[in-house]
Amino acid sequence: MTGNRRPTIKTVAARAGVGRTTVSRVVNGSDLVSADARARVLAAIKELNYVPNSVARGLVTNRTNAVALVIPESESRLGSEPFFAALIRGVSGALAESGTQLQLMLVRDQAERDQLTESVATRRVDGVLLVSVHSEDRLPGTLEEMGLPVVLAGRRDAGEQLSYVNSDNAGGAAEAVRHLLGRGRRRIATITGPQDMDVGRARLAGWHTAHQEAGVPADGSLIEAGDFTEDSGGRAMRLLLERAPDLDAVFAASDLMAVGALAELRRRKRRVPDDVAVVGFEDSVLARHTNPPLTTVRQPVEELGRTMARILTDITLNDGPRQQITLPTELVVRESS
């Protein structure tokens, strides 16, 4: 390097002898890179002391007054799932208090993950808020290594080192199943979230915990995985009923999956709650308008978004410490149980 010109992704690519997409994939944590190319890119980054443009500008301007909210979902899912709308309201409300702009980024495939890395490296952002993080996702750590503060909605696993705001997923799930056990239900199925996400594993762990506490065997045939969507809830309910027609309750790890389960139960002429009791998780606006109204675990999604934004603002404004916060949940009992 000569003069004061800073290295860019293009510079790193030239030094490593690869394309810019390869550099993006390496800093993005993608597995679609050979070990040799990864090693050359990492060596070039270290040699050139490559950092995002936003970080270098920050050395001069202190702040860029903008943060990115990264959601790895499609526009249709973003619009159909109440969780994301509530989270965005919380984030934007808290950022408005500090005069910080919000950049919403949807990341739906590997190409867009590559674009994200380049975008974050060149846009004026002080930090990143990440949602729907999976266990093996390298992006959060990579962004922080690039010099950008990161706050997660949830966590990758119990050993998470980055800042995050989480709901008491295991405790809320256990309370839901205790409620069903207290109503005399003994064949309690569960429709889980994805098991490569901490939220999915934690809510399943709560189902196990409540059974263990009550001395009721937790039957593995009563577990079926979903992906937090309505369709997956209906599909899982169908499989559970085929496998265990004598089940008398189901705990769905999201309200949307509970809605799908209710639809399948109606199709099978199973009365709710007489034949099968149903409990969801979130207490979204949907829960009050199902037939019957849905018993569910309330998690404070807007507060989760506000807390994430405030943590990130504290880091960027005041060089504040990393924080890991778990918000309490509350069981809301309605007619479905």
Side-chain angles (χ1 to χ4, degrees):
M1 296 296 295
T2 59
N4 294 321
R5 187 178 177 185
R6 282 190 312 108
T8 64
I9 282 183
K10 184 177 180 180
T11 315
V12 173
R15 179 63 60 90
V18 300
R20 281 181 289 178
T21 298
T22 300
V23 177
S24 292
R25 285 177 173 168
V26 171
V27 298
N28 206 348
S30 169
D31 293 326
L32 302 178
V33 181
S34 69
D36 176 65
R38 186 183 304 279
R40 284 187 282 132
V41 170
L42 292 174
I45 288 173
K46 183 175 181 181
E47 181 181 349
L48 295 171
N49 194 28
Y50 167 71
V51 294
N53 290 346
S54 58
V55 175
R57 280 195 296 267
L59 296 175
V60 177
T61 63
N62 192 34
R63 290 192 77 233
T64 63
N65 294 314
V67 300
L69 173 60
V70 178
I71 302 178
E73 303 292 352
S74 65
E75 293 98 331
S76 60
R77 190 161 180 178
L78 187 69
S80 65
E81 297 195 19
F83 173 86
F84 295 116
L87 184 80
I88 292 170
R89 283 197 302 272
V91 168
S92 61
L95 291 178
E97 295 172 3
S98 61
T100 303
Q101 294 181 336
L102 176 63
Q103 297 182 9
L104 179 62
M105 298 182 184
L106 302 186
V107 179
R108 293 156 288 195
D109 54 30
Q110 186 58 51
E112 291 186 346
R113 285 173 65 90
D114 295 339
Q115 292 170 11
L116 165 64
T117 305
E118 292 200 47
S119 178
V120 167
T122 57
R123 288 187 185 182
R124 295 175 59 85
V125 292
D126 292 311
V128 177
L129 304 167
L130 281 176
V131 183
S132 298
V133 180
H134 294 254
S135 298
E136 301 303 319
D137 196 342
R138 299 173 182 171
L139 180 59
T142 300
L143 290 174
E144 190 162 81
E145 288 171 5
M146 292 169 67
L148 287 170
V150 177
V151 180
L152 308 179
R155 59 188 188 182
R156 287 170 291 180
D157 54 48
E160 182 63 71
Q161 296 299 305
L162 301 182
S163 293
Y164 66 78
V165 184
N166 203 17
S167 294
D168 184 8
N169 294 301
E175 186 176 6
V177 178
R178 288 188 199 107
H179 166 72
L180 291 168
L181 290 164
R183 294 291 172 92
R185 311 292 172 149
R186 288 298 179 268
R187 295 282 288 163
I188 303 172
T190 184
I191 302 173
T192 77
Q195 293 301 289
D196 66 341
M197 298 180 71
D198 180 77
V199 59
R201 295 192 300 272
R203 292 177 187 176
L204 176 58
W207 178 85
H208 278 288
T209 295
H211 279 85
Q212 185 177 25
E213 290 174 350
V216 175
D219 186 345
S221 69
L222 296 176
I223 301 172
E224 189 61 46
D227 63 6
F228 293 133
T229 63
E230 181 177 348
D231 286 346
S232 75
R235 182 172 57 252
M237 191 74 256
R238 182 177 68 254
L239 293 171
L240 286 165
L241 288 169
E242 290 171 355
R243 205 160 56 227
D246 63 335
L247 67 83
D248 58 9
V250 60
F251 163 60
S254 78
D255 285 352
L256 265 180
M257 293 196 297
V259 169
L262 286 169
E264 181 63 21
L265 288 166
R266 279 194 300 273
R267 195 178 73 82
R268 298 290 187 107
K269 303 293 191 287
R270 298 293 186 95
R271 298 170 300 164
V272 177
D274 303 62
D275 300 325
V276 180
V278 179
V279 178
F281 201 115
E282 189 179 333
D283 194 29
S284 64
V285 65
L286 296 173
R288 296 184 289 279
H289 300 289
T290 56
N291 182 24
L294 183 67
T295 294
T296 184
V297 178
R298 177 179 295 156
Q299 63 171 345
V301 181
E302 284 196 43
E303 180 61 26
L304 191 149
R306 285 193 294 270
T307 305
M308 289 176 65
R310 288 168 181 160
I311 291 173
L312 189 60
T313 300
D314 184 48
I315 293 172
T316 57
L317 272 177
N318 307 313
D319 196 25
R322 292 183 181 180
Q323 298 183 52
Q324 298 182 338
I325 295 175
T326 299
L327 300 177
T329 57
E330 175 189 3
L331 183 68
V332 180
V333 179
R334 299 190 179 98
E335 286 86 341
S336 69
S337 64

